[in-house]
Amino acid sequence: MTATKNIDKTILSTSYIPSLTAHTATFMSARSKERSFLPARGAHWWLISFSNPIALEQFIAQLFSNGFYGDIEVRGNDIELQTKSLHEAFVINSYSHPEAFPIVLSQLTADAIFVENDSHALLCNQRNNGALSYTGERLVHLQFSVSPSSWSMLNILSQIISIHSIVHFDPTGYMILKATEAEQETIIRHLESYL
């Protein structure tokens, strides 16, 4: 059996973003310790998990044998890739089958909390990695579980929310947004379509 047939059977998940939004690229860049490259707006991006290191190495060998020159980061049996080349994107997708791993959201909870005073705002701003919070603002805390990756969910949400509304994003499934009740309802409805 060829290496590519083995690769197909050993991929546990593939998260694919066909074009990183400014929101996603910015928050990925804020977590620069997780990768050796700078996420780029408009780039194709993948996070692929393999069941074992041999399958991962076979996948990497196949990429390089097909002329891959994009960005790559390996952590354990996971590989993160980025490229702006359509040819490289086609090759990666032909091996990683992102269509087999749709975005699925579960365990969605949301709660609104008002910033009570300047001390509360200062604490929020020290703890979070996005837009600044101010006294009196309504912050919506969202907790969720997304497979195959919460980065895909952030990329999708960037279609309906401003980057200036994102107070915090953690890819483990936690997000804080500045939002009115109506905006919160719109965001929740949008997210519920992935439940």
Side-chain angles (χ1 to χ4, degrees), residues 72-91:
I72 187 167
E73 183 75 30
V74 177
R75 290 180 301 276
N77 290 336
D78 296 342
I79 186 170
E80 185 177 347
L81 303 158
Q82 173 181 268
T83 184
K84 288 198 171 187
S85 163
L86 290 175
H87 169 72
E88 289 178 353
F90 176 79
V91 169

Side-chain angles (χ1 to χ4, degrees), residues 115 121-122 124-126 128-135 137 139 163-168 178:
V115 180
L122 181 62
C124 286
N125 295 334
Q126 290 171 345
N128 299 318
N129 61 3
L132 295 177
S133 303
Y134 299 98
T135 300
E137 284 188 315
L139 302 181
I163 195 164
H164 304 294
S165 297
I166 305 171
V167 174
H168 185 71
K178 296 179 185 186

Side-chain angles (χ1 to χ4, degrees), residues 46-119:
W46 298 260
L47 178 61
I48 307 167
S49 296
F50 290 87
S51 62
N52 63 67
I54 295 171
L56 172 65
E57 290 301 324
Q58 289 172 334
F59 179 79
I60 292 169
Q62 288 294 325
L63 289 183
F64 286 125
S65 73
N66 282 286
F68 180 76
Y69 290 100
D71 297 307
I72 187 167
E73 183 75 30
V74 177
R75 290 180 301 276
N77 290 336
D78 296 342
I79 186 170
E80 185 177 347
L81 303 158
Q82 173 181 268
T83 184
K84 288 198 171 187
S85 163
L86 290 175
H87 169 72
E88 289 178 353
F90 176 79
V91 169
I92 294 166
N93 283 336
S94 68
Y95 288 122
S96 65
H97 307 288
E99 69 282 355
F101 303 96
I103 298 170
V104 178
L105 177 72
S106 63
Q107 301 170 0
L108 175 63
T109 59
D111 209 351
I113 299 171
F114 284 90
V115 180
E116 292 299 323
N117 54 36
D118 290 344
S119 296

Side-chain angles (χ1 to χ4, degrees), residues 118-165:
D118 290 344
S119 296
H120 188 191
L122 181 62
L123 184 61
C124 286
N125 295 334
Q126 290 171 345
R127 294 179 51 228
N128 299 318
N129 61 3
L132 295 177
S133 303
Y134 299 98
T135 300
E137 284 188 315
R138 183 178 190 274
L139 302 181
V140 178
H141 294 250
L142 298 167
Q143 209 165 358
F144 48 84
S145 178
V146 178
S147 65
S149 166
S150 60
W151 292 114
S152 297
M153 186 56 65
L154 176 61
N155 211 66
I156 289 166
L157 279 176
S158 68
Q159 299 167 15
I160 63 167
I161 58 176
S162 164
I163 195 164
H164 304 294
S165 297

